[in-house]
Amino acid sequence: MTGGRRTQAERDAITVEIGYALFSAAFAAALLFGAVAGPAYVFRLPAGVRDTLLGLGAVLAAALFAARVVTVLVRFRQVRDLARGGRAQPSQPGRTSPDS
């Protein structure tokens, strides 16, 4: 934070972004879990294979959930910091900023 208190609009934006991060992470994790562990529910597999698929699906889904939440919130912070007056990169490759 760059000093001072946050405005209501900033608090609302953060709340919405956290909600988006959690919802999109849960959705992506559920899809990944279904893709990895789904065959364990659809087909008759040996118990060892079924348990492995369920465990692997749970671990991968948890990792994806955490990674998605972190990336969404880090990207939000970067965009917010740029909007507050940070230096942005040129919009087109090969072009320079007017103040360079």
Side-chain angles (χ1 to χ4, degrees), residues 3-18:
R5 295 177 55 145
R6 291 187 176 117
T7 65
Q8 184 63 42
E10 288 174 322
R11 289 193 303 268
D12 290 347
I14 291 168
T15 301
V16 168
E17 199 65 22
I18 290 169

Side-chain angles (χ1 to χ4, degrees), residues 1-94:
M1 195 160 84
T2 57
R5 295 177 55 145
R6 291 187 176 117
T7 65
Q8 184 63 42
E10 288 174 322
R11 289 193 303 268
D12 290 347
I14 291 168
T15 301
V16 168
E17 199 65 22
I18 290 169
Y20 168 72
L22 292 173
F23 179 79
S24 67
F27 184 74
L31 284 178
L32 179 64
F33 180 80
V36 174
Y41 293 109
V42 175
F43 303 111
R44 287 186 179 213
L45 300 172
V49 174
R50 185 187 67 226
D51 293 343
T52 300
L53 286 176
L54 292 174
L56 183 63
V59 168
L60 290 176
L64 177 63
F65 180 87
R68 176 68 182 163
V69 168
V70 168
T71 56
V72 168
L73 296 179
V74 166
R75 186 178 55 223
F76 173 73
R77 183 175 183 181
Q78 290 171 346
V79 169
R80 186 192 68 199
D81 289 347
L82 285 175
R84 286 183 171 176
R87 283 185 58 92
Q89 293 293 323
S91 61
Q92 296 178 340

